[in-house]
Amino acid sequence: MNLSKRVLLPGIPGLLLIFSLTTSAQWDKKPYSEWSDKDAQKILNDSPWGRTQVYTSPLTMFRAGESQIPGRSARPGSSQGQQTAGAPPNATHVNFRIRFLSAKPIRQAFSRMIELKQKRGVTDEVAGALKTFASGEFLEYIIIAVTCDSQDPGANVQQALSLLNTRGTADLKNNTFLETKGGKRLFLQEFQPPRQDGFGARFIFQRLVDGKPFIMPESEEIHFFTELSDTYKLDRRFKVKDMMYEGKLEY
């Protein structure tokens, strides 16, 4: 079943957001309407619901928090990771932002960022749309949103962005999954490329399996994996106990 017409998120035309890692924030101690820019970015990029995976050049590697795990370099003679004559040099860092868009804190952070960027304030209509977006409930699907950015332009940045824009469900359905600590896997149901709303590409999974939530407190850890290409494999883990928000497990 094609979910493209069923899984729609309200978008703000022209919203193109690029975020960077920030220092600690106090998002868990005040309502989202009082979050600062740094608070919202912390939620999006370095929180229980949002992680950043960094590839560095010339040696491709992952970086998660404080640890660095070497990745698999491109094969000799392959096009992956190889410079083409006349092409711009690779950027030093390519950042993939991996977020539970179906989790309320992520949607609240996006909403707050939009509000903060509007120096003259938002209209009543936009304010209402943002409030609905931030407070809505996802009862059928788990949505992982992925964006890509870099502080520097480069051939590798364009390649990464192209992957997010050109992949399809058929390309990814057999190598994209959520996995609990016990090894139970839930494979991708649908992939949607990025739109002009800044939220990124959507990886959509069923929320219920055999009538029960796939993610529960006893799941302990959720592992998200997708292979966009031989070079770019996204691999992040989220601690379920840390995903409690306002007394509820949010994902």
Side-chain angles (χ1 to χ4, degrees):
M1 178 184 298
N2 191 311
L3 305 179
S4 299
K5 295 183 179 180
R6 298 181 58 193
V7 184
L8 299 177
L9 298 172
I12 307 299
L15 174 64
L16 298 175
L17 304 177
I18 297 179
F19 304 102
S20 61
L21 288 172
T22 62
T23 55
S24 60
Q26 298 298 315
W27 51 264
D28 56 341
K29 298 181 180 179
K30 54 189 174 184
Y32 83 92
S33 59
E34 298 178 11
W35 288 350
S36 67
D37 180 89
K38 289 185 176 181
D39 293 335
Q41 290 190 49
K42 180 73 174 179
I43 281 280
L44 290 167
N45 300 330
D46 185 20
S47 76
W49 307 274
R51 294 278 191 262
T52 297
Q53 183 166 326
V54 182
Y55 280 84
T56 65
S57 294
L59 174 64
T60 301
M61 64 172 58
F62 302 99
R63 184 170 66 195
E66 299 177 355
S67 63
Q68 295 192 6
I69 306 172
R72 185 171 64 186
S73 299
R75 298 184 301 274
S78 71
S79 60
Q80 297 290 349
Q82 191 176 51
Q83 288 297 115
T84 302
N90 283 337
T92 303
H93 303 294
V94 178
N95 309 307
F96 282 91
R97 317 295 187 178
I98 303 166
R99 303 154 176 153
F100 275 86
L101 189 59
S102 47
K104 188 176 293 184
I106 292 294
R107 287 179 280 117
Q108 290 179 342
F110 271 125
S111 297
R112 183 58 176 157
M113 289 292 294
I114 295 170
E115 292 175 346
L116 291 172
K117 285 182 178 292
Q118 302 299 315
K119 295 181 179 180
R120 296 183 179 179
V122 296
T123 65
D124 291 343
E125 182 180 1
V126 172
L130 290 176
K131 184 176 181 180
T132 299
F133 173 62
S135 61
E137 298 290 340
F138 282 71
L139 303 178
E140 296 183 64
Y141 307 108
I142 302 169
I143 302 179
I144 303 289
V146 175
T147 63
C148 175
D149 65 75
S150 178
Q151 293 184 347
D152 304 305
N156 54 345
V157 180
Q158 294 305 313
Q159 180 191 60
L161 289 170
S162 177
L163 288 171
L164 290 178
N165 280 283
T166 60
R167 299 292 92 169
T169 302
D171 303 316
L172 301 171
K173 65 180 181 179
N174 293 324
N175 56 18
T176 300
F177 57 81
L178 295 176
E179 182 180 37
T180 63
K181 190 173 182 179
K184 186 176 181 181
R185 289 185 177 182
L186 178 64
F187 282 88
L188 179 73
Q189 181 163 355
E190 182 178 339
F191 172 81
Q192 296 178 0
R195 303 171 192 160
Q196 294 299 314
D197 53 21
F199 301 145
R202 278 78 153 173
F203 294 79
I204 302 170
F205 303 85
Q206 282 288 352
R207 200 173 188 89
L208 302 178
V209 177
D210 297 328
K212 298 180 180 180
F214 178 73
I215 300 177
M216 295 186 287
E218 54 267 31
S219 301
E220 296 189 37
E221 182 180 78
I222 298 302
H223 175 204
F224 170 73
F225 178 87
T226 187
E227 184 174 338
L228 296 175
S229 70
D230 287 346
T231 298
Y232 295 111
K233 298 178 182 180
L234 306 186
D235 189 343
R236 295 293 85 164
R237 296 175 185 270
F238 301 80
K239 296 292 184 182
V240 173
K241 67 180 179 64
D242 295 333
M243 299 173 79
M244 296 297 296
Y245 183 72
E246 297 180 343
K248 180 182 177 183
L249 179 59
E250 281 289 346
Y251 60 89

